[in-house]
Amino acid sequence: MKKIKYMMSGGLAFSEQQDMEKLRKKSLKGWHVKDFKFMGYGLEYGEKEDVIYSIDYRFLDENEREEYLDFFSAAGWRHVCSEADMHLFKAAPNTAPIYSDKDSKIEKHHRQGKVINGMALGLLAFTIALFFVSIFTTGTFQTVAKISFFGVFVFTVPAIMTAMAIYYQKWKIKLKEAK
Amino acid sequence: MKQIEQLTDSVFYIMAALTTPRHGYAVMNLIEETTKGTVSIGPASMYTIIKKLLQQEFIYLYDDSDSRRKTYLLTEKGREVLTEDIERRKVMIQLAENGLKEEQS
């Protein structure tokens, strides 16, 4: 029987690099990523292997997929798994990085941020709307608005934090180059 | 997607390679060979740049009969942009070369 375990992600927007490092350490001990799981990775036990991991974000049409993956395999990066717009790859430790220039690296985070930015904005607008509804109404209506406000607020905060973290990543790359 | 204003080195190399129809893998190889391995373009960067060049109509899909190895070629617009950038780069090189020559004499 195959041994399988779960590893939680630190949140890719916050700690992509740390996640990739952690996955490498797991592989050194024989635990290899098999697929993405809810807020983490599914690991499967096998032979110990020294590999580095890299993640990319891109929505692919069915007719783009083969070419995209071929680019990576040609450069020595093996495809591990994909989920929605996330694609995980692994390679031998000295393989050249999947991003070689600043511009395209910034665009990676731009694509990564697209979905969450929309979500964060929508949630923020909704939270503000509920806030005003709860102020300007009375009775049952107000109670419902108040409860909904807190209900939505719980999602708005992490969404905004994630969007900000991605924004911060983009800035970090831009500043690094400026030095 | 942001527009390409000035060609970065990576974009320049890729466009230079696409003066003849080539697929992405061949472009990566050609660049690595010509520069003796000093320049290598990562697959994710390569894919991003190809998409951007297509979107800006600097290149076009030349042949997609093999979906794994689609080939691309510069458009007329792409040729113009590349030619302009060669001129820009020539000025840079000339300035440096002249400077070095004067220093010696």
Side-chain angles (χ1 to χ4, degrees), chain A residues 143-157:
Chain A
T143 319
V144 172
K146 262 188 187 164
I147 294 168
S148 322
F149 171 78
F150 286 110
V152 176
F153 195 69
V154 180
F155 295 100
T156 311
V157 173

Side-chain angles (χ1 to χ4, degrees), chain A residues 56 58 67-77 89 95-100, chain B residues 28 40-50:
Chain A
D56 193 25
R58 184 179 295 280
E67 187 192 23
Y68 175 74
L69 296 180
D70 188 57
F71 278 23
F72 283 82
S73 63
W77 287 91
F89 298 91
T95 311
I98 62 167
Y99 280 96
S100 52
Chain B
M28 291 200 270
S40 92
I41 302 208
S45 289
M46 182 71 199
Y47 196 83
T48 309
I49 293 170
I50 292 269

Side-chain angles (χ1 to χ4, degrees), chain A residues 13-14 116-117 120 158-170:
Chain A
F14 301 95
I116 194 78
N117 277 350
I160 290 178
M161 277 167 64
T162 310
M164 277 169 61
I166 293 171
Y167 205 74
Y168 169 72
Q169 296 292 342
K170 272 201 274 184

Side-chain angles (χ1 to χ4, degrees), chain A residues 72-136:
Chain A
F72 283 82
S73 63
W77 287 91
R78 279 175 286 160
H79 179 236
V80 179
C81 56
S82 293
E83 181 81 54
D85 68 332
M86 292 189 299
H87 312 281
L88 186 68
F89 298 91
K90 65 177 172 184
N94 285 324
T95 311
I98 62 167
Y99 280 96
S100 52
D101 71 317
K102 180 192 67 154
D103 286 8
S104 52
K105 208 171 177 178
I106 291 172
E107 272 181 34
K108 167 188 176 180
H109 293 293
H110 188 70
R111 284 193 304 273
Q112 181 194 15
K114 254 187 187 163
V115 178
I116 194 78
N117 277 350
M119 260 168 61
L121 264 174
L123 281 166
L124 184 67
F126 198 43
T127 313
I128 293 171
L130 283 170
F131 176 74
F132 281 110
V133 171
S134 71
I135 285 180
F136 294 116

